Amino acid sequence: MLSAEPFIIALDGPAASGKGTLARKLAEHYNLELLDTGALYRAVGWQVLQSRGDPENEEDALNATNWLNDIDLSNPALRRESTGAAASKVAAIPAVRQALRDFQREFAANPPEGKNGTILDGRDIGTVICPGAPYKIFITADVETRAKRRFLEEFGEDGSDQEYEEILAELQARDERDMTRSNSPLKKADDALLIDTTNSSIEAVFEAAVTFISSKE
Ligand code: CDP
């Protein structure tokens, strides 16, 4: 890699595949500024729900993008699976993706002083937002494994079987919507490393990512 080339890691994958955890570990290891792009779509979806709009309505969803700067991205309500569902509905609207695109590209290309580069996690980072990123990773896992992780995150050990089944159904619906939308569908970039996290520890996934990045440096 030429030293002048920006250090950008594009990390994509379906819901609850472990992107967030891997992104945080890589950001720390390489001293990178991290952007969880899903949080932007979640914030837009949340804002639409708060204003009693319809996440599938273009006008409602676009209006909500104007509030992005006012939304606390660490609000736990953003993490709920119901917010995830609204996020994937607004995310299927091309005008919403367009509204968020420049912000994400600017972020990727301009790491703050003191950082070595950037890492963005999402669905279309390697394919659309940063197709020239030198390091692309696509992580995935069985849908049942992902549903179990999300269920434990949301309900802890107290959740019921019915709540698990609901989370599983919501994740399946979200995967379907994210993979089949015509604009920027969830898809592995040809030059991305594929990591299946179904039976892997966080450490093993992290090691695989670091080995891949070293092999390209
Ligand atoms: O955390 P989780 O993997 O469940 O989802 P997320 O990354 O927070 O993303 C929430 C939703 O936003 C996804 O289901 C996608 O529909 C949408 N999204 C997207 O379309 N493009 C991105 N770059 C990031 C998220």
Side-chain angles (χ1 to χ4, degrees), residues 7 9 25-32 116 209-210 213-214 217:
F7 192 118
I9 303 179
K25 284 181 80 71
L26 290 173
E28 192 185 351
H29 184 75
Y30 291 106
N31 184 31
L32 308 174
N116 295 331
V210 169
I213 290 167
S214 306
E217 266 176 331

Side-chain angles (χ1 to χ4, degrees), residues 52-156:
R52 304 199 181 283
D54 172 5
E56 290 184 286
N57 178 283
E58 175 170 320
E59 200 184 334
D60 290 354
L62 256 189
N63 274 339
T65 63
N66 294 323
W67 293 89
L68 259 182
N69 289 335
D70 301 320
I71 300 171
D72 172 12
L73 296 182
S74 63
N75 178 351
L78 259 50
R79 300 305 319 158
R80 285 181 204 143
E81 196 42 49
S82 53
T83 311
S88 92
K89 289 178 184 165
V90 301
I93 300 173
V96 170
R97 306 200 70 82
Q98 163 91 23
L100 301 185
R101 199 184 57 195
D102 292 349
F103 172 79
Q104 296 174 77
R105 287 191 177 151
E106 285 272 310
F107 179 98
N110 297 291
E113 193 73 33
K115 294 282 181 179
N116 295 331
T118 52
I119 175 167
L120 288 81
D121 77 270
R123 301 290 186 286
D124 62 342
I125 309 303
T127 51
V128 175
I129 300 295
C130 301
Y135 311 111
K136 298 181 188 173
I137 300 170
F138 188 94
I139 92 171
T140 188
D142 287 354
V143 70
E144 288 81 8
T145 304
R146 293 187 284 117
K148 209 174 280 172
R149 290 177 188 160
R150 194 43 54 89
F151 168 70
L152 284 174
E153 263 171 31
E154 199 160 329
F155 298 100

